[in-house]
Amino acid sequence: MKSMQEENSKKDTLTNEMAIFIVLNTASIQIIPTTVIAIRNSLGSVNPTSIIFPVWISTICAAIAGITATRIFIKLGK
């Protein structure tokens, strides 16, 4: 973010790239959801890792939806 801000001509305004970067960080795509697996394991789940594929799908969908919404807002703002 600091390097993006250095290239920003308007220091008090968020650039489009910065907005998309923030959305991607907020979506937080999970490779291995260790916390949820640990909770499921501690509660006696038979297969605590069975949530990996649904988590991948949901986080990828969240990232795509966030990027799409951000791009729509960017176009509406111009």
Side-chain angles (χ1 to χ4, degrees), residues 2-48:
K2 287 182 182 180
S3 63
M4 288 180 176
Q5 182 65 9
E6 290 172 4
E7 297 176 14
N8 188 2
S9 60
K10 295 181 182 179
K11 299 297 181 190
D12 61 340
T13 305
L14 192 68
T15 65
N16 297 342
E17 292 79 17
M18 288 173 152
I20 291 173
F21 182 70
I22 291 169
V23 168
L24 280 175
N25 279 333
T26 304
S28 70
I29 296 174
Q30 296 288 315
I31 305 296
I32 301 174
T34 54
T35 303
V36 177
I37 291 171
I39 291 170
R40 288 174 51 93
N41 191 34
S42 70
L43 295 174
S45 175
V46 177
N47 190 2

Side-chain angles (χ1 to χ4, degrees), residues 28-34 37 51-53 55-57 59-60:
S28 70
I29 296 174
Q30 296 288 315
I31 305 296
I32 301 174
T34 54
I37 291 171
I51 58 148
I52 290 178
F53 288 116
V55 167
W56 287 349
I57 292 168
T59 58
I60 289 170

